[in-house]
PDB file of all heavy atoms in Angstrom:
ATOM      1  N   VAL B  45      -1.368 -16.481  15.936  1.00 95.00           N
ATOM      2  CA  VAL B  45      -2.139 -16.845  17.143  1.00 95.00           C
ATOM      3  C   VAL B  45      -1.420 -17.948  17.844  1.00 95.00           C
ATOM      4  O   VAL B  45      -1.226 -17.915  19.079  1.00 95.00           O
ATOM      5  CB  VAL B  45      -3.565 -17.277  16.709  1.00 95.00           C
ATOM      6  CG1 VAL B  45      -4.274 -17.861  17.917  1.00 95.00           C
ATOM      7  CG2 VAL B  45      -4.292 -16.082  16.131  1.00 95.00           C
ATOM      8  N   TRP B  52       1.683 -14.523  25.495  1.00 89.00           N
ATOM      9  CA  TRP B  52       0.804 -13.626  26.254  1.00 89.00           C
ATOM     10  C   TRP B  52       0.587 -14.121  27.665  1.00 89.00           C
ATOM     11  O   TRP B  52       0.505 -15.328  27.928  1.00 89.00           O
ATOM     12  CB  TRP B  52      -0.578 -13.592  25.575  1.00 89.00           C
ATOM     13  CG  TRP B  52      -0.699 -12.565  24.461  1.00 89.00           C
ATOM     14  CD1 TRP B  52       0.394 -12.049  23.804  1.00 89.00           C
ATOM     15  CD2 TRP B  52      -1.886 -12.028  23.846  1.00 89.00           C
ATOM     16  NE1 TRP B  52      -0.057 -11.192  22.818  1.00 89.00           N
ATOM     17  CE2 TRP B  52      -1.431 -11.192  22.857  1.00 89.00           C
ATOM     18  CE3 TRP B  52      -3.235 -12.185  24.080  1.00 89.00           C
ATOM     19  CZ2 TRP B  52      -2.338 -10.469  22.043  1.00 89.00           C
ATOM     20  CZ3 TRP B  52      -4.111 -11.481  23.288  1.00 89.00           C
ATOM     21  CH2 TRP B  52      -3.686 -10.634  22.293  1.00 89.00           C
ATOM     22  N   THR B  59       4.180  -5.095  32.015  1.00 87.00           N
ATOM     23  CA  THR B  59       5.583  -4.797  32.286  1.00 87.00           C
ATOM     24  C   THR B  59       6.256  -4.232  31.073  1.00 87.00           C
ATOM     25  O   THR B  59       5.861  -4.555  29.925  1.00 87.00           O
ATOM     26  CB  THR B  59       6.331  -6.095  32.724  1.00 87.00           C
ATOM     27  OG1 THR B  59       6.106  -7.105  31.679  1.00 87.00           O
ATOM     28  CG2 THR B  59       5.876  -6.611  34.054  1.00 87.00           C
ATOM     29  N   ALA B  93      -3.382  14.845  11.423  1.00 95.00           N
ATOM     30  CA  ALA B  93      -3.630  14.465  10.080  1.00 95.00           C
ATOM     31  C   ALA B  93      -5.102  14.483   9.734  1.00 95.00           C
ATOM     32  O   ALA B  93      -5.461  14.842   8.585  1.00 95.00           O
ATOM     33  CB  ALA B  93      -3.042  13.091   9.799  1.00 95.00           C
ATOM     34  N   GLU B 106     -15.112  21.842  -2.355  1.00 90.00           N
ATOM     35  CA  GLU B 106     -15.976  22.992  -2.262  1.00 90.00           C
ATOM     36  C   GLU B 106     -15.422  24.247  -3.007  1.00 90.00           C
ATOM     37  O   GLU B 106     -16.185  25.096  -3.471  1.00 90.00           O
ATOM     38  CB  GLU B 106     -16.207  23.372  -0.811  1.00 90.00           C
ATOM     39  CG  GLU B 106     -16.759  22.270   0.034  1.00 90.00           C
ATOM     40  CD  GLU B 106     -18.199  21.899  -0.400  1.00 90.00           C
ATOM     41  OE1 GLU B 106     -18.951  22.792  -0.910  1.00 90.00           O
ATOM     42  OE2 GLU B 106     -18.572  20.727  -0.183  1.00 90.00           O
ATOM     43  N   VAL B 127       4.779   7.923  -1.828  1.00 90.00           N
ATOM     44  CA  VAL B 127       6.101   8.066  -1.170  1.00 90.00           C
ATOM     45  C   VAL B 127       6.293   6.915  -0.159  1.00 90.00           C
ATOM     46  O   VAL B 127       5.459   6.723   0.676  1.00 90.00           O
ATOM     47  CB  VAL B 127       6.232   9.441  -0.484  1.00 90.00           C
ATOM     48  CG1 VAL B 127       7.498   9.498   0.303  1.00 90.00           C
ATOM     49  CG2 VAL B 127       6.201  10.567  -1.507  1.00 90.00           C
ATOM     50  N   LEU B 134      12.847  10.021   7.132  1.00 92.00           N
ATOM     51  CA  LEU B 134      14.039  10.794   6.763  1.00 92.00           C
ATOM     52  C   LEU B 134      13.745  12.257   6.716  1.00 92.00           C
ATOM     53  O   LEU B 134      14.511  13.094   7.171  1.00 92.00           O
ATOM     54  CB  LEU B 134      14.495  10.369   5.351  1.00 92.00           C
ATOM     55  CG  LEU B 134      15.390   9.119   5.250  1.00 92.00           C
ATOM     56  CD1 LEU B 134      15.966   9.042   3.853  1.00 92.00           C
ATOM     57  CD2 LEU B 134      16.482   9.123   6.276  1.00 92.00           C
ATOM     58  N   SER B 154       5.258  11.216  15.716  1.00 95.00           N
ATOM     59  CA  SER B 154       3.860  11.515  15.414  1.00 95.00           C
ATOM     60  C   SER B 154       3.730  12.289  14.118  1.00 95.00           C
ATOM     61  O   SER B 154       2.869  12.025  13.275  1.00 95.00           O
ATOM     62  CB  SER B 154       3.187  12.306  16.516  1.00 95.00           C
ATOM     63  OG  SER B 154       3.124  11.529  17.672  1.00 95.00           O
ATOM     64  N   MET B 161      -0.351   9.630   7.013  1.00 95.00           N
ATOM     65  CA  MET B 161      -1.784   9.491   7.076  1.00 95.00           C
ATOM     66  C   MET B 161      -2.509  10.519   6.192  1.00 95.00           C
ATOM     67  O   MET B 161      -3.615  10.282   5.649  1.00 95.00           O
ATOM     68  CB  MET B 161      -2.309   9.706   8.512  1.00 95.00           C
ATOM     69  CG  MET B 161      -1.938   8.625   9.483  1.00 95.00           C
ATOM     70  SD  MET B 161      -2.306   9.087  11.185  1.00 95.00           S
ATOM     71  CE  MET B 161      -4.125   9.042  11.074  1.00 95.00           C
ATOM     72  N   LEU B 162      -1.865  11.692   6.078  1.00 94.00           N
ATOM     73  CA  LEU B 162      -2.482  12.811   5.378  1.00 94.00           C
ATOM     74  C   LEU B 162      -3.105  12.469   4.001  1.00 94.00           C
ATOM     75  O   LEU B 162      -4.292  12.735   3.780  1.00 94.00           O
ATOM     76  CB  LEU B 162      -1.480  13.953   5.285  1.00 94.00           C
ATOM     77  CG  LEU B 162      -2.037  15.307   4.849  1.00 94.00           C
ATOM     78  CD1 LEU B 162      -2.938  15.852   5.888  1.00 94.00           C
ATOM     79  CD2 LEU B 162      -0.830  16.289   4.645  1.00 94.00           C
ATOM     80  N   PRO B 190     -24.855  30.971   4.935  1.00 91.00           N
ATOM     81  CA  PRO B 190     -23.593  31.259   4.299  1.00 91.00           C
ATOM     82  C   PRO B 190     -22.812  29.972   4.053  1.00 91.00           C
ATOM     83  O   PRO B 190     -23.185  28.920   4.579  1.00 91.00           O
ATOM     84  CB  PRO B 190     -22.881  32.151   5.379  1.00 91.00           C
ATOM     85  CG  PRO B 190     -23.551  31.851   6.659  1.00 91.00           C
ATOM     86  CD  PRO B 190     -24.967  31.403   6.335  1.00 91.00           C
ATOM     87  N   TRP B 192     -19.911  28.716   5.004  1.00 90.00           N
ATOM     88  CA  TRP B 192     -19.265  27.968   6.064  1.00 90.00           C
ATOM     89  C   TRP B 192     -20.312  27.186   6.810  1.00 90.00           C
ATOM     90  O   TRP B 192     -20.089  26.082   7.261  1.00 90.00           O
ATOM     91  CB  TRP B 192     -18.488  28.869   6.986  1.00 90.00           C
ATOM     92  CG  TRP B 192     -19.341  29.864   7.714  1.00 90.00           C
ATOM     93  CD1 TRP B 192     -19.691  31.096   7.347  1.00 90.00           C
ATOM     94  CD2 TRP B 192     -19.875  29.718   9.041  1.00 90.00           C
ATOM     95  NE1 TRP B 192     -20.439  31.740   8.287  1.00 90.00           N
ATOM     96  CE2 TRP B 192     -20.580  30.898   9.358  1.00 90.00           C
ATOM     97  CE3 TRP B 192     -19.855  28.681   9.994  1.00 90.00           C
ATOM     98  CZ2 TRP B 192     -21.236  31.058  10.553  1.00 90.00           C
ATOM     99  CZ3 TRP B 192     -20.525  28.841  11.198  1.00 90.00           C
ATOM    100  CH2 TRP B 192     -21.243  30.033  11.447  1.00 90.00           C
ATOM    101  N   PRO B 201     -21.945  16.779   8.201  1.00 93.00           N
ATOM    102  CA  PRO B 201     -22.788  15.758   8.846  1.00 93.00           C
ATOM    103  C   PRO B 201     -23.249  14.674   7.851  1.00 93.00           C
ATOM    104  O   PRO B 201     -23.288  13.466   8.203  1.00 93.00           O
ATOM    105  CB  PRO B 201     -23.989  16.503   9.354  1.00 93.00           C
ATOM    106  CG  PRO B 201     -23.493  17.930   9.515  1.00 93.00           C
ATOM    107  CD  PRO B 201     -22.451  18.098   8.426  1.00 93.00           C
ATOM    108  N   LEU B 212     -10.326   6.224  10.161  1.00 94.00           N
ATOM    109  CA  LEU B 212      -9.959   5.029  10.915  1.00 94.00           C
ATOM    110  C   LEU B 212      -8.992   4.114  10.131  1.00 94.00           C
ATOM    111  O   LEU B 212      -8.053   3.542  10.709  1.00 94.00           O
ATOM    112  CB  LEU B 212     -11.225   4.266  11.319  1.00 94.00           C
ATOM    113  CG  LEU B 212     -11.866   4.685  12.605  1.00 94.00           C
ATOM    114  CD1 LEU B 212     -13.103   3.841  12.885  1.00 94.00           C
ATOM    115  CD2 LEU B 212     -10.951   4.602  13.757  1.00 94.00           C
ATOM    116  N   LEU B 279      -9.356  -1.852  14.444  1.00 94.00           N
ATOM    117  CA  LEU B 279      -9.580  -0.551  13.834  1.00 94.00           C
ATOM    118  C   LEU B 279     -10.208  -0.715  12.428  1.00 94.00           C
ATOM    119  O   LEU B 279     -11.183  -0.012  12.041  1.00 94.00           O
ATOM    120  CB  LEU B 279      -8.268   0.181  13.701  1.00 94.00           C
ATOM    121  CG  LEU B 279      -7.672   0.835  14.973  1.00 94.00           C
ATOM    122  CD1 LEU B 279      -6.273   1.276  14.793  1.00 94.00           C
ATOM    123  CD2 LEU B 279      -8.559   2.065  15.296  1.00 94.00           C
ATOM    124  N   ASN B 280      -9.707  -1.705  11.646  1.00 91.00           N
ATOM    125  CA  ASN B 280     -10.259  -1.951  10.364  1.00 91.00           C
ATOM    126  C   ASN B 280     -11.717  -2.374  10.395  1.00 91.00           C
ATOM    127  O   ASN B 280     -12.561  -1.900   9.626  1.00 91.00           O
ATOM    128  CB  ASN B 280      -9.515  -3.100   9.681  1.00 91.00           C
ATOM    129  CG  ASN B 280      -8.527  -2.600   8.682  1.00 91.00           C
ATOM    130  OD1 ASN B 280      -8.939  -2.134   7.616  1.00 91.00           O
ATOM    131  ND2 ASN B 280      -7.220  -2.577   8.991  1.00 91.00           N
ATOM    132  N   GLY B 290     -23.558   4.892   7.149  1.00 72.00           N
ATOM    133  CA  GLY B 290     -23.484   6.146   6.403  1.00 72.00           C
ATOM    134  C   GLY B 290     -24.754   6.487   5.670  1.00 72.00           C
ATOM    135  O   GLY B 290     -25.503   5.577   5.250  1.00 72.00           O
TER     136      GLY B 290
END
Side-chain angles (χ1 to χ4, degrees):
Chain B
V45 171
W52 276 18
T59 54
E106 303 293 332
V127 172
L134 277 191
S154 295
M161 293 171 67
L162 191 66
W192 65 272
L212 274 179
L279 283 167
N280 257 288

